[in-house]
Amino acid sequence: MTTFLVTPPREANATVDWTADEQHRLEQFYYYEAALLDSRKYDEWLALFSDDCRYWMPIRQNLATNDFDKEFTTRNDIALFDDDKAILTMRAEKLKTGYAWAEEPPSRTRHNYNNIRVLAIEDDEIIVEVNFSLYRSKHESEVDWWVGRRVDVLRRDGHGKTEIIDRSIYLDQTVVTAKNLSVFF
């Protein structure tokens, strides 16, 4: 397995040889993922991840232009999430118990993905950048919005299955005003 420790490029001109049919299948994969999350089908969502996956969300800092390359914490530093498959599974199982106080009653979410771009292809792995907005409502008036981009490393096996082996989540905001981060991105 190739290990990609990528911060997504900021230039918008990266292109990869990728067909319209492949793009359609990739977009359908992400739309399916969003539907699973929004309908709280966590077991099926977890099945999209490899057993050796990493799910990581660094902390963003407000820095001067000259320090822009240090805007996010690194993989060896503090992060909002740095989960493996076991931790993701434990989080999902807790949500299903009814005893996760932050999610009782459960949040209503809407995951929106756009600008789905293939950044690189190497052997059986694909690096994909996805912009997202995540809306969550809870109770009568509790509303949270998260906006950002993700960089996923996907692995295609020989049997037509695509799995997520690495997810890096880059929030646009530097201050998270939500009461909790109990949702999946």
Side-chain angles (χ1 to χ4, degrees):
M1 175 180 83
T2 307
T3 303
F4 295 100
L5 298 178
V6 215
T7 297
R10 297 196 178 278
E11 65 275 359
N13 60 358
T15 58
V16 172
D17 188 21
W18 192 248
T19 69
D21 185 53
E22 290 169 319
Q23 180 69 23
H24 175 74
R25 286 197 315 269
L26 181 65
E27 289 170 358
Q28 291 304 306
F29 174 81
Y30 282 114
Y31 300 152
Y32 173 66
E33 178 193 11
L36 291 175
L37 287 170
D38 294 338
S39 60
R40 301 182 196 105
K41 294 183 179 177
Y42 300 122
D43 293 334
E44 293 93 329
W45 178 73
L46 286 166
L48 300 177
F49 287 84
S50 67
D51 291 338
D52 61 341
C53 72
R54 187 168 185 190
Y55 182 93
W56 179 71
M57 180 190 285
I59 295 172
R60 186 176 205 151
Q61 306 167 79
N62 288 318
L63 297 175
T65 303
N66 293 343
D67 292 326
F68 204 54
D69 60 331
K70 299 177 188 126
E71 182 178 19
F72 293 99
T73 55
T74 66
R75 290 225 174 195
N76 300 319
D77 205 351
I78 192 166
L80 295 170
F81 294 115
D82 194 356
D83 299 349
D84 59 12
K85 180 85 175 252
I87 293 173
L88 285 175
T89 301
M90 192 169 42
R91 287 177 56 204
E93 289 299 318
K94 185 177 180 182
L95 291 175
K96 295 187 303 186
T97 65
Y99 293 108
W101 67 268
E103 285 299 316
E104 192 56 39
S107 293
R108 295 170 297 275
T109 62
R110 190 65 52 209
H111 292 73
N112 293 290
Y113 303 141
N114 61 29
N115 293 357
I116 300 169
R117 293 189 319 133
V118 174
L119 300 179
I121 301 171
E122 187 171 317
D123 300 324
D124 61 344
E125 294 180 2
I126 307 163
I127 302 176
V128 181
E129 181 179 63
V130 178
N131 289 347
F132 70 86
S133 62
L134 169 52
Y135 171 85
R136 172 175 69 180
S137 65
K138 189 172 167 71
H139 299 293
E140 290 78 28
S141 61
E142 201 173 311
V143 172
D144 296 303
W145 277 98
W146 294 279
V147 176
R149 68 185 185 279
R150 297 186 326 210
V151 175
D152 289 346
V153 180
L154 307 177
R155 181 188 302 137
R156 297 185 287 191
D157 69 11
H159 306 289
K161 182 181 179 196
T162 300
E163 57 186 1
I164 304 163
I165 61 175
D166 190 279
R167 171 161 291 166
S168 299
I169 306 153
Y170 299 91
L171 288 178
D172 283 349
Q173 58 257 56
T174 56
V175 176
V176 176
T177 58
K179 293 179 181 176
N180 60 63
L181 281 174
S182 57
V183 295
F184 294 108
F185 289 83

